[in-house]
Amino acid sequence: MNVHASALAKAHRFDEQTSAFAGDVLDDLSQHRKRLSPKYFYDAAGSELFEQITLLPEYYPTRTELGILRDRCGAISAILPEGAALVEFGAGATTKVRLLLNECAFGAYVPVDISGDFLKAQADALRQDFPALAVYPVTADFTAPFALPEALADLPKVGFFPGSTLGNFEPHEACGFLRSARDILGRDAQMVIGVDLEKDERVLYEAYNDKAGVTARFNLNVLHRINRELGGNFDLSAFIHRAIYNRDRHRIEMHLISRMAQTVRVLGHSFSFRAGESIHTENSYKYSIERFTAMARGSGWTPRESWTDAAGMFSVHALVASD
Ligand code: AVI
């Protein structure tokens, strides 16, 4: 916890997670270019909105990755060791991991997520459907080092990081995550990872500016969360969602744009906005196969195989830990 966050925890009797949220929000809104971390999108309402996004006709990543996993799970299973512990970084919908669990003979499944409640529900559902599978949920921030359960010490390890969540990390954070995953999983580990690809800018634009406005609600929900958890007074109707493709940096950027000059208060601090001023809320980096595999090579992994859909929209990679 940083100094700011621990002072807030004391003053407001916040729990550890809310204090960290408060500290980050106050720091990030005080920047010359205001920003908020995309990790704060995912409260209960935000997670539900994200599930809705994955079903939108314009949002191709989820169904395309599922298609690749469905078509290629035989090939994926053929290169993974039998009896391995499958360690999933982040616990979301279980649809993707079920494809692997059905196809490969894993010895254990280890979902890792910061949200203990969500993790427990996910683990319970999988235990019911895969009674022979040992499930060891680990409550941890998977972007920082954490320990795997002792019971898995002798099993080979396979990491699973679907959904192109890696794309929401800055490139240096993505390298840091890959390196840390390599350390956590250990020697001879393998990794199966989903990565969204560069493509026609119109397709990208529409995926993040859907007609039904679900992505806009998802983006604005972070202001609602600040109001609810930190007693902020954001007027959600005074901000609009904007997503643009930044070609030079290969990324979709999401912003919340202030419609007017206004001042917002959060935890006794005032933040002034000019009309048209942005809060930068998310980057979603898009990779080429070459750029991703080069990054993996530089971060402790040797690319073993890459699969894409026929239209080359999305990619799934098998990596092996480098010596
Ligand atoms: C979770 N993540 C990979 C999504 C993405 O596409 O970057 C989050 C998202 N943001 C807007 N729509 C979906």
Side-chain angles (χ1 to χ4, degrees), residues 50-73:
F50 180 65
E51 288 309 311
Q52 289 180 31
I53 287 176
T54 65
L55 303 174
L56 289 169
E58 297 97 328
Y59 193 77
Y60 62 86
T62 310
R63 63 171 178 278
T64 310
E65 184 181 39
L66 264 172
I68 299 171
L69 291 172
R70 216 171 268 134
D71 291 349
R72 307 296 189 157
C73 58

PDB file of all heavy atoms in Angstrom, residues 50-73:
ATOM      1  N   PHE A  50     -19.017  -6.276 -19.086  1.00  0.00           N
ATOM      2  CA  PHE A  50     -18.001  -6.887 -19.949  1.00  0.00           C
ATOM      3  C   PHE A  50     -18.527  -8.199 -20.555  1.00  0.00           C
ATOM      4  O   PHE A  50     -18.302  -8.473 -21.737  1.00  0.00           O
ATOM      5  CB  PHE A  50     -16.676  -7.124 -19.218  1.00  0.00           C
ATOM      6  CG  PHE A  50     -15.664  -7.751 -20.133  1.00  0.00           C
ATOM      7  CD1 PHE A  50     -15.182  -7.050 -21.231  1.00  0.00           C
ATOM      8  CD2 PHE A  50     -15.246  -9.053 -19.947  1.00  0.00           C
ATOM      9  CE1 PHE A  50     -14.300  -7.633 -22.133  1.00  0.00           C
ATOM     10  CE2 PHE A  50     -14.361  -9.652 -20.837  1.00  0.00           C
ATOM     11  CZ  PHE A  50     -13.884  -8.936 -21.926  1.00  0.00           C
ATOM     12  N   GLU A  51     -19.255  -8.986 -19.750  1.00  0.00           N
ATOM     13  CA  GLU A  51     -19.843 -10.218 -20.303  1.00  0.00           C
ATOM     14  C   GLU A  51     -20.771  -9.875 -21.473  1.00  0.00           C
ATOM     15  O   GLU A  51     -20.790 -10.569 -22.481  1.00  0.00           O
ATOM     16  CB  GLU A  51     -20.612 -11.007 -19.230  1.00  0.00           C
ATOM     17  CG  GLU A  51     -19.714 -11.692 -18.206  1.00  0.00           C
ATOM     18  CD  GLU A  51     -18.606 -12.524 -18.850  1.00  0.00           C
ATOM     19  OE1 GLU A  51     -18.898 -13.327 -19.746  1.00  0.00           O
ATOM     20  OE2 GLU A  51     -17.441 -12.364 -18.450  1.00  0.00           O
ATOM     21  N   GLN A  52     -21.535  -8.764 -21.325  1.00  0.00           N
ATOM     22  CA  GLN A  52     -22.428  -8.344 -22.424  1.00  0.00           C
ATOM     23  C   GLN A  52     -21.613  -7.933 -23.657  1.00  0.00           C
ATOM     24  O   GLN A  52     -21.998  -8.223 -24.788  1.00  0.00           O
ATOM     25  CB  GLN A  52     -23.307  -7.176 -21.989  1.00  0.00           C
ATOM     26  CG  GLN A  52     -24.384  -7.568 -20.993  1.00  0.00           C
ATOM     27  CD  GLN A  52     -25.228  -6.365 -20.594  1.00  0.00           C
ATOM     28  OE1 GLN A  52     -25.441  -5.432 -21.353  1.00  0.00           O
ATOM     29  NE2 GLN A  52     -25.702  -6.372 -19.357  1.00  0.00           N
ATOM     30  N   ILE A  53     -20.478  -7.253 -23.430  1.00  0.00           N
ATOM     31  CA  ILE A  53     -19.624  -6.848 -24.560  1.00  0.00           C
ATOM     32  C   ILE A  53     -19.186  -8.078 -25.354  1.00  0.00           C
ATOM     33  O   ILE A  53     -19.194  -8.079 -26.582  1.00  0.00           O
ATOM     34  CB  ILE A  53     -18.368  -6.081 -24.041  1.00  0.00           C
ATOM     35  CG1 ILE A  53     -18.767  -4.688 -23.555  1.00  0.00           C
ATOM     36  CG2 ILE A  53     -17.286  -5.981 -25.118  1.00  0.00           C
ATOM     37  CD1 ILE A  53     -17.626  -3.883 -22.927  1.00  0.00           C
ATOM     38  N   THR A  54     -18.835  -9.154 -24.629  1.00  0.00           N
ATOM     39  CA  THR A  54     -18.302 -10.338 -25.320  1.00  0.00           C
ATOM     40  C   THR A  54     -19.344 -10.980 -26.257  1.00  0.00           C
ATOM     41  O   THR A  54     -18.987 -11.781 -27.110  1.00  0.00           O
ATOM     42  CB  THR A  54     -17.801 -11.413 -24.327  1.00  0.00           C
ATOM     43  OG1 THR A  54     -18.913 -11.910 -23.579  1.00  0.00           O
ATOM     44  CG2 THR A  54     -16.751 -10.870 -23.384  1.00  0.00           C
ATOM     45  N   LEU A  55     -20.619 -10.609 -26.065  1.00  0.00           N
ATOM     46  CA  LEU A  55     -21.680 -11.186 -26.910  1.00  0.00           C
ATOM     47  C   LEU A  55     -22.096 -10.243 -28.045  1.00  0.00           C
ATOM     48  O   LEU A  55     -22.951 -10.584 -28.856  1.00  0.00           O
ATOM     49  CB  LEU A  55     -22.913 -11.511 -26.038  1.00  0.00           C
ATOM     50  CG  LEU A  55     -22.644 -12.464 -24.872  1.00  0.00           C
ATOM     51  CD1 LEU A  55     -23.876 -12.603 -23.989  1.00  0.00           C
ATOM     52  CD2 LEU A  55     -22.215 -13.841 -25.391  1.00  0.00           C
ATOM     53  N   LEU A  56     -21.525  -9.038 -28.081  1.00  0.00           N
ATOM     54  CA  LEU A  56     -21.931  -8.057 -29.102  1.00  0.00           C
ATOM     55  C   LEU A  56     -21.498  -8.502 -30.498  1.00  0.00           C
ATOM     56  O   LEU A  56     -20.410  -9.060 -30.655  1.00  0.00           O
ATOM     57  CB  LEU A  56     -21.258  -6.706 -28.823  1.00  0.00           C
ATOM     58  CG  LEU A  56     -21.743  -5.924 -27.607  1.00  0.00           C
ATOM     59  CD1 LEU A  56     -20.784  -4.765 -27.323  1.00  0.00           C
ATOM     60  CD2 LEU A  56     -23.160  -5.405 -27.825  1.00  0.00           C
ATOM     61  N   PRO A  57     -22.330  -8.220 -31.511  1.00  0.00           N
ATOM     62  CA  PRO A  57     -21.922  -8.613 -32.869  1.00  0.00           C
ATOM     63  C   PRO A  57     -20.616  -7.947 -33.306  1.00  0.00           C
ATOM     64  O   PRO A  57     -19.805  -8.566 -33.997  1.00  0.00           O
ATOM     65  CB  PRO A  57     -23.095  -8.135 -33.758  1.00  0.00           C
ATOM     66  CG  PRO A  57     -23.945  -7.257 -32.901  1.00  0.00           C
ATOM     67  CD  PRO A  57     -23.660  -7.600 -31.473  1.00  0.00           C
ATOM     68  N   GLU A  58     -20.356  -6.712 -32.843  1.00  0.00           N
ATOM     69  CA  GLU A  58     -19.144  -6.003 -33.283  1.00  0.00           C
ATOM     70  C   GLU A  58     -17.887  -6.500 -32.555  1.00  0.00           C
ATOM     71  O   GLU A  58     -16.776  -6.296 -33.027  1.00  0.00           O
ATOM     72  CB  GLU A  58     -19.249  -4.493 -32.991  1.00  0.00           C
ATOM     73  CG  GLU A  58     -20.360  -3.771 -33.720  1.00  0.00           C
ATOM     74  CD  GLU A  58     -21.603  -3.616 -32.840  1.00  0.00           C
ATOM     75  OE1 GLU A  58     -21.862  -4.510 -31.986  1.00  0.00           O
ATOM     76  OE2 GLU A  58     -22.312  -2.617 -33.007  1.00  0.00           O
ATOM     77  N   TYR A  59     -18.059  -7.083 -31.345  1.00  0.00           N
ATOM     78  CA  TYR A  59     -16.884  -7.449 -30.530  1.00  0.00           C
ATOM     79  C   TYR A  59     -16.448  -8.868 -30.900  1.00  0.00           C
ATOM     80  O   TYR A  59     -16.907  -9.859 -30.331  1.00  0.00           O
ATOM     81  CB  TYR A  59     -17.203  -7.305 -29.037  1.00  0.00           C
ATOM     82  CG  TYR A  59     -15.955  -7.367 -28.177  1.00  0.00           C
ATOM     83  CD1 TYR A  59     -15.102  -6.270 -28.070  1.00  0.00           C
ATOM     84  CD2 TYR A  59     -15.622  -8.524 -27.487  1.00  0.00           C
ATOM     85  CE1 TYR A  59     -13.941  -6.328 -27.302  1.00  0.00           C
ATOM     86  CE2 TYR A  59     -14.468  -8.597 -26.716  1.00  0.00           C
ATOM     87  CZ  TYR A  59     -13.636  -7.494 -26.631  1.00  0.00           C
ATOM     88  OH  TYR A  59     -12.484  -7.566 -25.876  1.00  0.00           O
ATOM     89  N   TYR A  60     -15.532  -8.952 -31.856  1.00  0.00           N
ATOM     90  CA  TYR A  60     -15.112 -10.230 -32.435  1.00  0.00           C
ATOM     91  C   TYR A  60     -14.154 -11.040 -31.523  1.00  0.00           C
ATOM     92  O   TYR A  60     -14.065 -12.264 -31.683  1.00  0.00           O
ATOM     93  CB  TYR A  60     -14.409  -9.958 -33.804  1.00  0.00           C
ATOM     94  CG  TYR A  60     -13.185  -9.123 -33.591  1.00  0.00           C
ATOM     95  CD1 TYR A  60     -11.980  -9.704 -33.275  1.00  0.00           C
ATOM     96  CD2 TYR A  60     -13.257  -7.720 -33.601  1.00  0.00           C
ATOM     97  CE1 TYR A  60     -10.885  -8.934 -32.955  1.00  0.00           C
ATOM     98  CE2 TYR A  60     -12.161  -6.953 -33.283  1.00  0.00           C
ATOM     99  CZ  TYR A  60     -10.980  -7.573 -32.966  1.00  0.00           C
ATOM    100  OH  TYR A  60      -9.903  -6.822 -32.628  1.00  0.00           O
ATOM    101  N   PRO A  61     -13.371 -10.421 -30.586  1.00  0.00           N
ATOM    102  CA  PRO A  61     -12.301 -11.216 -29.959  1.00  0.00           C
ATOM    103  C   PRO A  61     -12.777 -12.486 -29.248  1.00  0.00           C
ATOM    104  O   PRO A  61     -12.184 -13.558 -29.425  1.00  0.00           O
ATOM    105  CB  PRO A  61     -11.658 -10.244 -28.955  1.00  0.00           C
ATOM    106  CG  PRO A  61     -11.925  -8.889 -29.517  1.00  0.00           C
ATOM    107  CD  PRO A  61     -13.301  -9.000 -30.131  1.00  0.00           C
ATOM    108  N   THR A  62     -13.840 -12.388 -28.451  1.00  0.00           N
ATOM    109  CA  THR A  62     -14.212 -13.548 -27.626  1.00  0.00           C
ATOM    110  C   THR A  62     -14.643 -14.729 -28.496  1.00  0.00           C
ATOM    111  O   THR A  62     -14.144 -15.852 -28.330  1.00  0.00           O
ATOM    112  CB  THR A  62     -15.340 -13.156 -26.650  1.00  0.00           C
ATOM    113  OG1 THR A  62     -14.951 -11.961 -25.992  1.00  0.00           O
ATOM    114  CG2 THR A  62     -15.591 -14.244 -25.627  1.00  0.00           C
ATOM    115  N   ARG A  63     -15.545 -14.480 -29.424  1.00  0.00           N
ATOM    116  CA  ARG A  63     -16.026 -15.631 -30.209  1.00  0.00           C
ATOM    117  C   ARG A  63     -14.933 -16.150 -31.142  1.00  0.00           C
ATOM    118  O   ARG A  63     -14.861 -17.342 -31.437  1.00  0.00           O
ATOM    119  CB  ARG A  63     -17.322 -15.307 -30.963  1.00  0.00           C
ATOM    120  CG  ARG A  63     -17.225 -14.244 -31.986  1.00  0.00           C
ATOM    121  CD  ARG A  63     -18.494 -14.124 -32.850  1.00  0.00           C
ATOM    122  NE  ARG A  63     -18.312 -13.025 -33.774  1.00  0.00           N
ATOM    123  CZ  ARG A  63     -18.514 -11.761 -33.470  1.00  0.00           C
ATOM    124  NH1 ARG A  63     -18.958 -11.427 -32.283  1.00  0.00           N
ATOM    125  NH2 ARG A  63     -18.277 -10.806 -34.362  1.00  0.00           N
ATOM    126  N   THR A  64     -14.034 -15.255 -31.602  1.00  0.00           N
ATOM    127  CA  THR A  64     -12.973 -15.713 -32.503  1.00  0.00           C
ATOM    128  C   THR A  64     -11.971 -16.581 -31.741  1.00  0.00           C
ATOM    129  O   THR A  64     -11.552 -17.640 -32.227  1.00  0.00           O
ATOM    130  CB  THR A  64     -12.257 -14.497 -33.143  1.00  0.00           C
ATOM    131  OG1 THR A  64     -13.249 -13.629 -33.666  1.00  0.00           O
ATOM    132  CG2 THR A  64     -11.335 -14.932 -34.263  1.00  0.00           C
ATOM    133  N   GLU A  65     -11.611 -16.144 -30.547  1.00  0.00           N
ATOM    134  CA  GLU A  65     -10.678 -16.954 -29.746  1.00  0.00           C
ATOM    135  C   GLU A  65     -11.306 -18.305 -29.390  1.00  0.00           C
ATOM    136  O   GLU A  65     -10.646 -19.348 -29.468  1.00  0.00           O
ATOM    137  CB  GLU A  65     -10.296 -16.205 -28.471  1.00  0.00           C
ATOM    138  CG  GLU A  65      -9.255 -16.967 -27.653  1.00  0.00           C
ATOM    139  CD  GLU A  65      -8.894 -16.242 -26.370  1.00  0.00           C
ATOM    140  OE1 GLU A  65      -9.801 -15.661 -25.732  1.00  0.00           O
ATOM    141  OE2 GLU A  65      -7.708 -16.260 -25.995  1.00  0.00           O
ATOM    142  N   LEU A  66     -12.600 -18.273 -29.028  1.00  0.00           N
ATOM    143  CA  LEU A  66     -13.289 -19.539 -28.713  1.00  0.00           C
ATOM    144  C   LEU A  66     -13.252 -20.481 -29.904  1.00  0.00           C
ATOM    145  O   LEU A  66     -13.031 -21.686 -29.757  1.00  0.00           O
ATOM    146  CB  LEU A  66     -14.749 -19.252 -28.354  1.00  0.00           C
ATOM    147  CG  LEU A  66     -15.045 -19.126 -26.876  1.00  0.00           C
ATOM    148  CD1 LEU A  66     -16.472 -18.648 -26.663  1.00  0.00           C
ATOM    149  CD2 LEU A  66     -14.835 -20.477 -26.180  1.00  0.00           C
ATOM    150  N   GLY A  67     -13.462 -19.918 -31.103  1.00  0.00           N
ATOM    151  CA  GLY A  67     -13.425 -20.725 -32.335  1.00  0.00           C
ATOM    152  C   GLY A  67     -12.053 -21.368 -32.510  1.00  0.00           C
ATOM    153  O   GLY A  67     -11.943 -22.556 -32.844  1.00  0.00           O
ATOM    154  N   ILE A  68     -10.992 -20.583 -32.280  1.00  0.00           N
ATOM    155  CA  ILE A  68      -9.630 -21.131 -32.430  1.00  0.00           C
ATOM    156  C   ILE A  68      -9.414 -22.252 -31.410  1.00  0.00           C
ATOM    157  O   ILE A  68      -8.927 -23.336 -31.746  1.00  0.00           O
ATOM    158  CB  ILE A  68      -8.550 -20.031 -32.242  1.00  0.00           C
ATOM    159  CG1 ILE A  68      -8.721 -18.929 -33.295  1.00  0.00           C
ATOM    160  CG2 ILE A  68      -7.140 -20.624 -32.321  1.00  0.00           C
ATOM    161  CD1 ILE A  68      -7.845 -17.697 -33.057  1.00  0.00           C
ATOM    162  N   LEU A  69      -9.815 -22.003 -30.159  1.00  0.00           N
ATOM    163  CA  LEU A  69      -9.603 -23.028 -29.118  1.00  0.00           C
ATOM    164  C   LEU A  69     -10.399 -24.290 -29.442  1.00  0.00           C
ATOM    165  O   LEU A  69      -9.916 -25.412 -29.260  1.00  0.00           O
ATOM    166  CB  LEU A  69      -9.996 -22.486 -27.743  1.00  0.00           C
ATOM    167  CG  LEU A  69      -9.089 -21.397 -27.160  1.00  0.00           C
ATOM    168  CD1 LEU A  69      -9.697 -20.818 -25.882  1.00  0.00           C
ATOM    169  CD2 LEU A  69      -7.687 -21.954 -26.868  1.00  0.00           C
ATOM    170  N   ARG A  70     -11.629 -24.091 -29.947  1.00  0.00           N
ATOM    171  CA  ARG A  70     -12.472 -25.243 -30.290  1.00  0.00           C
ATOM    172  C   ARG A  70     -11.823 -26.047 -31.423  1.00  0.00           C
ATOM    173  O   ARG A  70     -11.697 -27.259 -31.353  1.00  0.00           O
ATOM    174  CB  ARG A  70     -13.847 -24.730 -30.735  1.00  0.00           C
ATOM    175  CG  ARG A  70     -14.976 -25.606 -30.307  1.00  0.00           C
ATOM    176  CD  ARG A  70     -16.311 -24.934 -30.586  1.00  0.00           C
ATOM    177  NE  ARG A  70     -16.808 -24.173 -29.463  1.00  0.00           N
ATOM    178  CZ  ARG A  70     -17.318 -22.944 -29.531  1.00  0.00           C
ATOM    179  NH1 ARG A  70     -17.360 -22.292 -30.682  1.00  0.00           N
ATOM    180  NH2 ARG A  70     -17.781 -22.358 -28.461  1.00  0.00           N
ATOM    181  N   ASP A  71     -11.383 -25.316 -32.476  1.00  0.00           N
ATOM    182  CA  ASP A  71     -10.804 -25.997 -33.646  1.00  0.00           C
ATOM    183  C   ASP A  71      -9.450 -26.634 -33.317  1.00  0.00           C
ATOM    184  O   ASP A  71      -9.063 -27.614 -33.939  1.00  0.00           O
ATOM    185  CB  ASP A  71     -10.571 -24.997 -34.784  1.00  0.00           C
ATOM    186  CG  ASP A  71     -11.891 -24.501 -35.358  1.00  0.00           C
ATOM    187  OD1 ASP A  71     -12.943 -25.079 -35.019  1.00  0.00           O
ATOM    188  OD2 ASP A  71     -11.857 -23.518 -36.129  1.00  0.00           O
ATOM    189  N   ARG A  72      -8.700 -26.011 -32.407  1.00  0.00           N
ATOM    190  CA  ARG A  72      -7.305 -26.432 -32.211  1.00  0.00           C
ATOM    191  C   ARG A  72      -7.051 -27.129 -30.883  1.00  0.00           C
ATOM    192  O   ARG A  72      -5.894 -27.370 -30.544  1.00  0.00           O
ATOM    193  CB  ARG A  72      -6.374 -25.221 -32.292  1.00  0.00           C
ATOM    194  CG  ARG A  72      -6.547 -24.391 -33.529  1.00  0.00           C
ATOM    195  CD  ARG A  72      -6.176 -25.194 -34.762  1.00  0.00           C
ATOM    196  NE  ARG A  72      -6.145 -24.310 -35.916  1.00  0.00           N
ATOM    197  CZ  ARG A  72      -5.476 -24.542 -37.012  1.00  0.00           C
ATOM    198  NH1 ARG A  72      -4.762 -25.654 -37.136  1.00  0.00           N
ATOM    199  NH2 ARG A  72      -5.519 -23.691 -38.012  1.00  0.00           N
ATOM    200  N   CYS A  73      -8.103 -27.430 -30.122  1.00  0.00           N
ATOM    201  CA  CYS A  73      -7.792 -27.977 -28.792  1.00  0.00           C
ATOM    202  C   CYS A  73      -7.113 -29.345 -28.893  1.00  0.00           C
ATOM    203  O   CYS A  73      -6.314 -29.694 -28.003  1.00  0.00           O
ATOM    204  CB  CYS A  73      -8.982 -27.959 -27.842  1.00  0.00           C
ATOM    205  SG  CYS A  73     -10.388 -28.840 -28.400  1.00  0.00           S
TER     206      CYS A  73
END
